[in-house]
Amino acid sequence: MAGVNIIKKAVGQLQQVRSIDDAKIYARKISDAAIHGVTNYLGRPSPPQLQIEPTNICNADCISCPTNRARRKRGYMPMELFKKIIDDAANMRVRSVALYMHGEPLLHPHFGDMLSYVKEKGIAFYIRTNGSALSGRKAEEILSAGADFTDHVIVSILGLSKDVHELVMGNVQHERVVNNVLKLVETRNSRGLRGPVIEVIFYEMAENTHEKQAFLDYWSGKVDRVFMGETSVSFANYNLAEQPAIVRTHSCAEIHHMWVFWNGDVTLCGQDINGEYIFGNLEHQTISDVWNSEGLMNIRKIHKRNEFGKIPICSNCG
């Protein structure tokens, strides 16, 4: 289902094709969407996407996110390490890099340099942010990075009203985030830029479900896409004494990306908050070394056979 949604998303951007260069970009995007829609990567020599954590430090305190109660050491990815990873990714023809995981990526002091380096290597980027820092110099860095519509800025706004938004995403200022998003769209359009695609995402939970339709109505037409999702119960309850009873019944697309912590450790997926499932480190190894390691190959084989009980973090994941 995730692959189908990605393909629909790509098809929905057909109206952005206005030149031969745009057509080439669009063809690449459809190709990438098709790749992401496939769940069996046992024979693929490299991951289609890297998920890189610029930092696991966050300025928000969302009630649905366990990041701020994680035991893992906090820090920022060094630029030397980042460039090594991106160089390796470009050589292996990795098509896109998602620059977020556990933390607010725009807090990285060299985030603009990261984006520019990714685009210099011909790779698409995805950013997910709480929007608090999406103004001034940071906004300018995003718009000046050479983005096209393979690139995405996704802003999490988990409420339409100030009260709900600030309740669910602690330490954010509702008006500031909304204004930052609208200003980013306005500036991009006024400059005639082809990208990035600007989206907002709303994760439904008990505290905000009553605002779901009004949120969709408000943001539709103001940004390029409004995405409505559901909160992962197992993620929200990670490392708590009370764990939800979940029985996994199907393979997970997330294991077919490569997930990289700020210190270069490669983890199983974003569900691994504390770094308990580490398969290598890209400071000392190549992407190919880790991707084709016995450990990760076994994980993919287990998922292919639906034997999720062999991996505790997967068997309890919703």
Side-chain angles (χ1 to χ4, degrees):
M1 183 61 69
V4 172
N5 289 336
I6 292 170
I7 293 172
K8 284 182 178 179
K9 177 179 173 181
V11 172
Q13 290 162 6
L14 180 61
Q15 70 272 16
Q16 294 171 285
V17 177
R18 296 174 184 149
S19 67
I20 293 176
D21 286 342
D22 285 353
K24 291 177 180 178
I25 292 170
Y26 181 75
R28 172 182 163 183
K29 199 158 191 176
I30 289 291
S31 173
D32 290 349
I35 290 172
H36 281 274
V38 177
T39 58
N40 180 12
Y41 288 87
L42 290 176
R44 187 175 174 82
S46 63
Q49 183 181 77
L50 293 185
Q51 192 92 20
I52 298 178
E53 177 183 78
T55 181
N56 61 341
I57 297 169
C58 192
N59 57 344
D61 189 18
C62 302
I63 62 176
S64 60
C65 179
T67 293
N68 287 334
R69 62 174 183 266
R71 299 187 301 269
R72 187 159 52 93
K73 183 179 178 181
R74 316 250 175 205
Y76 300 94
M77 179 172 282
M79 277 301 297
E80 182 179 0
L81 172 59
F82 182 78
K83 288 183 176 181
K84 175 186 180 297
I85 295 171
I86 297 302
D87 288 345
D88 194 10
N91 289 335
M92 296 191 70
R93 302 180 65 83
V94 172
R95 306 301 291 267
S96 62
V97 174
L99 293 172
Y100 60 89
M101 199 186 309
H102 306 138
E104 171 51 50
L106 271 63
L107 296 182
H108 195 290
H110 302 293
F111 189 71
D113 296 330
M114 288 180 161
L115 291 184
S116 296
Y117 200 74
V118 167
K119 295 311 297 178
E120 180 183 320
K121 297 298 179 177
I123 300 174
F125 66 73
Y126 287 74
I127 305 167
R128 186 167 295 180
T129 171
N130 61 46
S132 295
L134 194 62
S135 62
R137 182 171 62 87
K138 294 293 184 181
E140 183 59 35
E141 287 173 346
I142 292 171
L143 295 176
S144 301
D148 54 50
F149 63 87
T150 61
D151 306 298
H152 293 250
V153 175
I154 306 155
V155 186
S156 297
I157 305 178
L158 307 190
L160 174 67
S161 67
K162 174 182 174 67
D163 289 346
V164 172
H165 184 190
E166 294 182 359
L167 168 68
V168 176
M169 303 182 70
N171 297 332
V172 302
Q173 296 179 356
H174 174 73
E175 295 89 350
R176 178 181 178 85
V177 172
V178 171
N179 289 336
N180 286 350
V181 175
L182 296 177
K183 181 65 175 178
L184 188 69
V185 174
E186 178 188 357
T187 305
R188 182 203 61 183
N189 293 347
S190 69
R191 295 183 185 181
L193 300 176
R194 294 186 299 175
V197 176
I198 300 171
E199 308 173 53
V200 295
I201 188 166
F202 178 99
Y203 286 112
E204 184 178 0
M205 60 193 74
E207 292 80 2
N208 66 9
T209 186
H210 62 286
E211 293 193 341
K212 179 180 178 180
Q213 186 58 52
F215 181 95
L216 181 61
D217 293 342
Y218 175 81
W219 282 105
S220 295
K222 292 183 172 64
V223 292
D224 300 313
R225 182 170 182 260
V226 184
F227 181 78
M228 314 302 286
E230 295 180 0
T231 303
S232 168
V233 176
S234 53
F235 181 77
N237 288 276
Y238 184 88
N239 210 32
L240 294 180
E242 294 289 332
Q243 293 291 329
I246 294 172
V247 178
R248 173 171 285 282
T249 59
H250 58 277
S251 183
C252 178
E254 301 302 325
I255 66 166
H256 304 302
H257 299 170
M258 178 173 277
W259 298 75
V260 188
F261 287 150
W262 67 267
N263 65 349
D265 281 346
V266 177
T267 181
L268 175 61
C269 72
Q271 193 81 6
D272 185 16
I273 306 297
N274 287 321
E276 298 172 286
Y277 293 79
I278 302 301
F279 295 88
N281 185 288
L282 295 186
E283 183 175 5
H284 314 294
Q285 297 171 275
T286 67
I287 292 171
S288 180
D289 288 339
V290 181
W291 179 253
N292 296 298
S293 66
E294 183 179 358
L296 277 181
M297 288 295 289
N298 283 338
I299 293 291
R300 295 194 284 271
K301 289 176 182 177
I302 288 170
H303 268 254
K304 186 178 181 181
R305 296 192 296 261
N306 293 341
E307 297 174 343
F308 309 116
K310 294 182 177 180
I311 317 169
I313 196 171
C314 296
S315 63
N316 295 321
C317 177

